[in-house]
Amino acid sequence: MGVSPGTRHIIHSIQVLDCLGMGDTTGVLAGLSWVKDNFQSPAVINLSIGIKGISSTLSTMIKSMRALGIVIVGAAGNQGDNACLYFPAGITASNDVPVVGVGALAQPTGLSDVAASFSNYGSCVRIYAPGDMILSTLPGGLTGKKRGTSMASPFLAGAIILALATTPSLSAVEAQSLVLARATIGTVTGANVFSGTNNVLWVPPALSQPTVPPALATTSVSVSTSTTNAATTNAVITSTTGAARSASLTATTSNAAASTRAAA
């Protein structure tokens, strides 16, 4: 499963939520701090997590990681709201985009790309990827289908890893730029889709199965969650991936489409 099978890299799983899929920004900050202190370049972080409101502490941490060359991909959120109001997609900077916000496409019913009704939207959504009825892993070695921007975001992280696998000379930031430049422009439709932020992730077929993947040292962190309340630093984080709750920040590169570790 996933968009980047065959690539070799180091995967780190960092638990920040309890077994009910609950947590706060203090735990998320601790997980990000561990990554910052231990990452190896090129590094890609997938944050399938959501908090309403932008914590200044988390924002400072994300910007400092970006300054180190770490690529950070984040779920836009599942509230059908402006993604700029939510962490991580809403983190902005005057001269950079610290987090690449990813919106979710609805399950396709034809040839058109339609934004999922639950997907957040707006200028903080840089790209859309599949986010409905996505095959994922479940506890006990099972599989099932889930929905959410938490499922869409790892597709982009996986595509960036593929770019690094096929062109090892790229930095993580260069690989991100390459993947975003390959997007299909202006094809997403839907009630809340903004012009200029309605591009669809596209991965060239030749990149789907690298023949001789290099050894990549990458870090990817993912949680399939979103929030119900986050006005303060210790905002409540709850799961929104359909059938199951996420209990950990799970590294996802080779298993991009199945990045969620669900709680029992």
Side-chain angles (χ1 to χ4, degrees), residues 131-139 144-148 151 224 241-246 260-263:
D132 195 6
M133 298 298 288
I134 304 301
L135 186 63
S136 182
T137 54
L138 297 174
K145 293 183 177 181
K146 296 185 179 182
R147 66 199 301 248
M151 305 307 292
S224 284
T241 51
R245 290 174 174 167
S246 173
T260 310
R261 178 169 298 174

Side-chain angles (χ1 to χ4, degrees), residues 32-88:
L32 291 173
S33 297
W34 187 93
V35 174
K36 182 179 178 181
D37 292 341
N38 294 278
F39 83 96
Q40 300 176 53
S41 293
V44 178
I45 296 177
N46 178 61
L47 286 174
S48 290
I49 189 170
I51 305 172
K52 188 172 184 180
I54 306 298
S55 159
S56 60
T57 303
L58 287 176
S59 180
T60 298
M61 171 61 74
I62 290 293
K63 291 177 181 178
S64 69
M65 297 174 79
R66 175 69 177 187
L68 294 173
I70 301 173
V71 164
I72 303 163
V73 176
N78 301 342
Q79 292 78 20
D81 198 0
N82 187 340
C84 294
L85 301 177
Y86 296 81
F87 172 88

Side-chain angles (χ1 to χ4, degrees):
M1 268 187 283
V3 297
S4 55
T7 58
R8 297 196 299 271
H9 44 267
I10 299 172
I11 298 176
H12 296 283
S13 178
I14 303 153
Q15 182 171 338
V16 300
L17 305 179
D18 63 24
C19 291
L20 296 177
M22 302 292 291
D24 56 38
T25 56
T26 300
V28 176
L29 182 64
L32 291 173
S33 297
W34 187 93
V35 174
K36 182 179 178 181
D37 292 341
N38 294 278
F39 83 96
Q40 300 176 53
S41 293
V44 178
I45 296 177
N46 178 61
L47 286 174
S48 290
I49 189 170
I51 305 172
K52 188 172 184 180
I54 306 298
S55 159
S56 60
T57 303
L58 287 176
S59 180
T60 298
M61 171 61 74
I62 290 293
K63 291 177 181 178
S64 69
M65 297 174 79
R66 175 69 177 187
L68 294 173
I70 301 173
V71 164
I72 303 163
V73 176
N78 301 342
Q79 292 78 20
D81 198 0
N82 187 340
C84 294
L85 301 177
Y86 296 81
F87 172 88
I91 294 180
T92 59
S94 59
N95 60 347
D96 192 16
V97 181
V99 177
V100 184
V102 184
L105 294 173
Q107 184 180 14
T109 57
L111 297 178
S112 60
D113 295 311
V114 180
S117 60
F118 56 78
S119 180
N120 284 357
Y121 53 84
S123 61
C124 292
V125 176
R126 295 285 303 282
I127 198 167
Y128 282 81
D132 195 6
M133 298 298 288
I134 304 301
L135 186 63
S136 182
T137 54
L138 297 174
L142 302 176
T143 60
K145 293 183 177 181
K146 296 185 179 182
R147 66 199 301 248
T149 55
S150 289
M151 305 307 292
S153 180
F155 274 103
L156 177 59
I160 295 171
I161 294 302
L162 277 175
L164 289 167
T166 54
T167 312
S169 61
L170 293 177
S171 69
V173 174
E174 290 170 336
Q176 171 196 302
S177 297
L178 176 63
V179 171
L180 292 178
R182 286 174 173 155
T184 305
I185 306 299
T187 63
V188 182
T189 61
N192 295 316
V193 174
F194 280 34
S195 175
T197 63
N198 57 346
N199 304 332
V200 175
L201 175 66
W202 182 75
V203 179
L207 295 184
S208 61
Q209 295 286 346
T211 53
V212 186
L216 296 178
T218 65
T219 305
S220 177
V221 181
S222 175
V223 176
S224 284
T225 63
S226 185
T227 63
T228 55
N229 178 26
T232 64
T233 300
N234 290 323
V236 175
I237 304 172
T238 58
S239 171
T240 61
T241 51
R245 290 174 174 167
S246 173
S248 65
L249 281 168
T250 304
T252 74
T253 47
S254 64
N255 204 17
S259 64
T260 310
R261 178 169 298 174

